[in-house]
Amino acid sequence: MVIRLNQMAAGFTGMSEAAANAYMEYINNDVCPLIPSRGSEGANDLSMVTHIGLALMGEWDVSYKGKRVPAAQVRQQLKLSPYHPFGMDGISILSNSNVAEAQSIAAVKKAEHYLKLSPVVIASSLEALNGNVSPYLWHTVDTKGWPQGHEAAEAVLANLKGSYLWKKDSKRYLQDPLSFRSAGYILAAAQEELRQAKDLLNTAINHTTDNPIVNTNARNDLWYSSAEVLDEMRAGKPNVFVNSCSNFDNTQLALQLESLTKAIGQVIHTSAWRTTQLVDGHRTGLPTYLVAKENNGGDGFANIAQSMSGLYAEAMALTNSAIGYGVPTSIGIEETFSNVNLTADRLSKVADIGYEIYAYEVLHTTQAMDMRKQEGKQMGEGTEQLLKQYRKVVPFVSKDRFYTPDINNGLRVLKNIEFTQVK
């Protein structure tokens, strides 16, 4: 509803002042029309936003003060005047993609938080491994030249300020596994896809997805501006037009969301593989399966990767394309499909699984970091913050135990963690 109101203010919808007031009354009183969460083909959200229109007229249900109640009851309680769509109100309420845009914004914000968490997780894995910082150094990344490369690499290194990794170690490998070496470039790719998605969404919510559109400031200096066919589209003044279009088409947004989903899939891929490397005693120099010395005869993390593997498979399945699938409707008029709502939902779900995979990785990295500290090694400023916050809810594994509570508690930490910015 906020997006729809903003697009009214942009001046392209041709909606009435009464319609704007109707939306504002619900927004300002926290009245939220209930809409289906699924069932849009992406060529407008007709089946979804219909419910908003009905609620504005008092003919459907809303969420108000935490309860589902009839819209008519809430309108009477708030003493709101009846609203009746007028002129272009009806078509503008129904023929738009505001739900898809809202779903996309929510998914992108979740992805953004997940990617902001990534540098410290990668850094903690490097400390767990006794890894090489070489792939993240400025003069290394500079030779690649890819967008966001320096931003991603420096964010990882900032968390390692003061870490033992900056000291020489004859036992440290020259070449780490690619899940460690490539993590910065893969994170950079996801950050660039995120940037593009945010730019596209900012453009979308400040323009319109209506059909038809109203433009009160159209150009008249184009080679076809004087064509007589344009006279049929003018509305009174030379630069005022009402044009048929398909502004609800969201193919570009759907493609971008799928690109971001695939990029996060790569971030998840490297996280899962790093986790499997950290239980290899030959690779880390720590006990196999990170079994604590006091856990004599214990299994440590011997079998936990099996459940992580199942989640990983679920995430990878979400990276498959959904654009273009659909059944023609309206007697063959509607035959293009972006399924942007579905792509937004998949992005949201893949980000959720990303957090879950990180919960497994951080369970391993914090165990290894504590073992390194027992050896007298110092962790970085950022990774030490992660370790301290994590240890408030997940203790060191000194004896085999049931890990499901640890995964769930760690997941809550990672979704809500706050860091003091390390520079």
Side-chain angles (χ1 to χ4, degrees), residues 11 17 22 40 67 70 73 107 110 127 134 139 141 154 158 193 225-226 284 290 311 411:
E17 186 177 343
S40 175
K67 295 181 179 179
Q73 177 181 321
K110 183 185 291 185
E127 288 185 325
S134 174
H139 52 265
V141 177
E154 291 299 311
E193 296 301 327
S225 294
S226 60
T284 64
L290 298 175
L311 297 173
L411 182 61

Side-chain angles (χ1 to χ4, degrees), residues 59-338:
E59 298 182 17
W60 177 235
D61 294 345
V62 297
S63 175
Y64 183 60
K65 294 185 176 180
K67 295 181 179 179
R68 177 174 182 156
V69 292
Q73 177 181 321
V74 173
R75 296 189 71 83
Q76 184 178 18
Q77 182 178 339
L78 295 173
K79 299 179 180 180
L80 303 180
S81 300
Y83 168 64
H84 302 287
F86 172 78
M88 288 185 63
D89 288 356
I91 190 68
S92 293
I93 289 172
L94 303 181
S95 186
N96 63 68
S97 300
N98 297 152
V99 175
E101 291 165 339
Q103 289 174 306
S104 299
I105 289 169
V108 166
K109 291 299 290 182
K110 183 185 291 185
E112 181 176 36
H113 183 271
Y114 168 73
L115 293 178
K116 284 183 177 179
L117 171 67
S118 297
V120 72
V121 175
I122 295 169
S124 73
S125 255
L126 286 168
E127 288 185 325
L129 182 73
N130 188 20
N132 197 323
V133 298
S134 174
Y136 298 87
L137 300 177
W138 185 278
H139 52 265
T140 303
V141 177
D142 212 36
T143 62
K144 183 69 172 175
W146 275 12
Q148 303 285 337
H150 286 305
E151 289 84 350
E154 291 299 311
V156 172
L157 294 183
N159 286 286
L160 294 174
K161 187 176 182 180
S163 171
Y164 80 96
L165 294 183
W166 297 103
K167 297 181 180 296
K168 292 181 180 180
D169 188 341
S170 59
K171 297 180 180 179
R172 185 174 296 143
Y173 284 93
L174 175 64
Q175 295 258 69
D176 292 334
L178 281 173
S179 54
F180 293 84
R181 264 189 289 157
S182 297
Y185 288 140
I186 289 171
L187 176 58
Q191 288 177 340
E192 178 60 16
E193 296 301 327
L194 173 68
R195 183 195 65 78
Q196 293 183 37
K198 290 173 66 176
D199 285 350
L200 201 57
L201 278 169
N202 278 325
T203 298
I205 64 176
N206 287 296
H207 287 74
T208 186
T209 54
D210 286 71
N211 172 45
I213 58 95
V214 175
N215 194 329
T216 60
N217 190 30
R219 289 181 61 176
N220 277 317
D221 59 347
L222 299 165
W223 66 266
Y224 50 77
S225 294
S226 60
E228 65 177 31
V229 70
L230 270 67
D231 293 336
E232 298 175 349
M233 307 170 196
R234 287 190 173 91
K237 296 180 180 181
N239 60 344
V240 178
F241 284 83
V242 179
N243 289 356
S244 169
C245 66
S246 60
N247 275 16
F248 45 70
D249 184 271
N250 275 312
T251 300
Q252 192 166 346
L253 178 58
L255 284 168
Q256 188 57 51
L257 294 182
E258 284 200 344
S259 292
L260 178 54
T261 301
K262 292 177 186 296
I264 289 178
Q266 282 288 84
V267 175
I268 290 172
H269 176 80
T270 53
S271 172
W273 274 91
R274 286 194 301 269
T275 304
T276 63
Q277 295 285 345
L278 293 178
V279 295
D280 183 352
H282 295 95
R283 175 63 64 181
T284 64
L286 297 172
T288 299
Y289 297 126
L290 298 175
V291 178
K293 58 184 179 182
E294 58 267 38
N295 189 15
N296 187 33
D299 285 337
F301 299 145
N303 297 304
I304 195 171
Q306 293 181 6
S307 56
M308 181 187 70
S309 179
L311 297 173
Y312 167 83
E314 186 179 344
M316 293 304 105
L318 290 168
T319 65
N320 294 327
S321 179
I323 295 174
Y325 295 112
V327 177
T329 62
S330 301
I331 316 182
I333 294 175
E334 307 296 341
E335 70 285 301
T336 61
F337 317 95
S338 67

Side-chain angles (χ1 to χ4, degrees), residues 324-370:
Y325 295 112
V327 177
T329 62
S330 301
I331 316 182
I333 294 175
E334 307 296 341
E335 70 285 301
T336 61
F337 317 95
S338 67
N339 294 312
V340 67
N341 310 73
L342 178 57
T343 63
D345 183 61
R346 287 184 170 195
L347 173 60
S348 179
K349 288 177 178 176
V350 87
D352 282 333
I353 297 174
Y355 281 111
E356 291 170 346
I357 299 295
Y358 273 172
Y360 282 85
E361 182 175 5
V362 172
L363 178 66
H364 287 68
T365 65
T366 52
Q367 181 82 356
M369 289 161 71
D370 274 335

